[in-house]
Amino acid sequence: MRELNRLGVTGAIDAGGGFQNYPEDYAVIEKLAADGQLTIRLGYNLFTQKPKGEKDDFLRWARSSKYQQGDDYFRHNGAGEMLVFSAADFEDFREPRPDMPPEMEPELEAVVRILVQNRWPWRLHATYDETISRSLDVFERVNQDMPLDGLHWFFDHAETISERSIDRIAALGGGIAVQHRMAYQGEYFVETLRSGCGRSYAAGRAHAGERRQALRRHRCDACRVLQSVGVRSPGWSRGARSGACASTRSATASTARQRCAYGPRTSPGSPMKRARRAGSRSASSPT
Ligand SMILES: [Zn+2]
């Protein structure tokens, strides 16, 4: 907290993370909050840690805790960014895009119905449009008989989101939280697309072409999203490269803590990630 305060940060959203169980692992921060020792306002989202046990977690939490319980310094902020493991796509752009398993939709629907019933907002980790569009199928289905009706929810990341999905999110009243991953992994993203994700050379070239177009579209779509929430995009207007996008950095500056679902491999401070960042910086020099 001192370090965040030193940088002028006075509030953060805790999007959960790997191996952080509720309520056991929150005892320390709850004690600090009870003693009035927090110097950061902290909103925490509940992140399930149990593949195939997600529905039970959210049922139990809905009984034991209440949305917005707490005070101005320590407050329950809803669910996510993990709702079900079968809907969480892998976010390493040096790897091919993963396909989510067929059980994704029924598992996600079961959890989303619990959240809507209890009027809990949620955030959902989703990198690729293929995952986002399938999640939207679920949200739209739930909305038909359990209207979301102004409930706040959004996708985290959404790097390759399509125009069509943005329209569907807007129609449901949802949002997108763009992170600055492309500032560090943009070059890897392009390399992986160029490689065609292990396909034949010809198929790979075609695939890379499609994805380059998607990437260009993403830049426009992201600007649109950012503009819609009142964030300027100075980096792109100065012609910044995809791997060093100033606007995505500014959009996520207020999210002091964005942790992802896969533990040490992607945790913000891991040696592997620092090394990867260092390598990426030498290529793209984001500022
Ligand atoms: Zn994430």
Side-chain angles (χ1 to χ4, degrees):
M1 286 190 284
R2 267 192 212 120
E3 184 66 1
L4 289 173
N5 290 153
R6 186 180 71 79
L7 296 167
V9 176
T10 58
I13 306 288
D14 177 1
F19 314 108
Q20 186 166 273
N21 289 287
Y22 183 85
E24 308 88 282
D25 297 331
Y26 287 68
V28 171
I29 200 82
E30 278 174 354
K31 173 85 166 66
L32 290 172
D35 293 348
Q37 291 188 308
L38 292 185
T39 60
I40 295 283
R41 289 184 175 83
L42 189 64
Y44 58 97
N45 287 63
L46 297 190
F47 181 123
T48 180
Q49 305 293 335
K50 298 175 189 156
K52 307 301 175 193
E54 302 97 332
K55 182 182 169 185
D56 290 341
D57 263 353
F58 284 108
L59 277 173
R60 193 174 68 257
W61 290 337
R63 283 195 296 268
S64 65
S65 56
K66 202 167 174 335
Y67 168 55
Q68 288 197 324
Q69 69 184 19
D71 56 25
D72 284 352
Y73 268 85
F74 187 60
R75 178 165 285 168
H76 184 314
N77 196 44
E81 65 172 332
M82 177 70 80
L83 299 185
V84 291
F85 280 76
S86 54
D89 57 16
F90 188 62
E91 68 267 19
D92 187 340
F93 292 127
R94 294 193 295 188
E95 301 290 333
R97 178 185 64 79
D99 271 320
M100 297 298 96
E103 62 268 27
M104 167 186 158
E105 282 87 350
E107 291 180 1
L108 183 60
E109 182 169 339
V111 168
V112 168
R113 283 186 180 279
I114 294 166
L115 301 179
V116 177
Q117 189 174 16
N118 290 280
R119 304 302 293 168
W120 278 27
W122 71 83
R123 58 193 303 158
L124 178 60
H125 167 108
T127 303
Y128 296 96
D129 191 57
E130 289 81 352
T131 314
I132 291 168
S133 59
R134 287 176 59 185
S135 302
L136 286 168
D137 292 342
V138 171
F139 299 169
E140 287 169 351
R141 190 157 53 242
V142 172
N143 184 55
Q144 284 173 1
D145 55 290
M146 297 177 79
L148 304 190
D149 196 23
L151 190 61
H152 291 165
W153 62 273
F154 61 91
F155 287 108
D156 277 301
H157 312 303
E159 274 86 355
T160 73
I161 191 166
S162 65
E163 186 92 20
R164 169 84 184 116
S165 292
I166 290 176
D167 290 342
R168 292 173 71 191
I169 291 169
L172 279 177
I176 301 168
V178 181
Q179 196 186 11
H180 54 347
R181 293 197 301 205
M182 281 296 180
Y184 300 113
Q185 285 209 321
E187 285 75 15
Y188 294 136
F189 181 69
V190 172
E191 280 167 24
T192 302
L193 298 181
R194 281 190 180 134
S195 75
C197 305
R199 302 172 189 197
S200 71
Y201 180 73
R205 280 182 64 88
H207 177 69
E210 285 166 18
R211 305 311 291 174
R212 271 199 297 277
Q213 285 184 356
L215 182 59
R216 285 191 202 106
R217 260 203 317 277
H218 162 64
R219 292 171 62 176
C220 298
D221 289 346
C223 277
R224 192 175 124 194
V225 171
L226 298 175
Q227 284 161 1
S228 76
V229 296
V231 177
R232 294 181 62 219
S233 52
W236 284 331
S237 65
R238 289 198 301 268
R241 299 171 58 198
S242 63
C245 173
S247 63
T248 50
R249 287 199 299 278
S250 67
T252 52
S254 62
T255 304
R257 191 165 169 223
Q258 278 275 12
R259 291 177 59 179
C260 294
Y262 299 96
R265 187 169 184 185
T266 57
S267 67
S270 71
M272 184 180 292
K273 188 131 190 176
R274 285 199 296 274
R276 199 181 295 160
R277 283 174 182 161
S280 187
R281 277 193 200 106
S282 64
S284 64
S285 302
T287 54

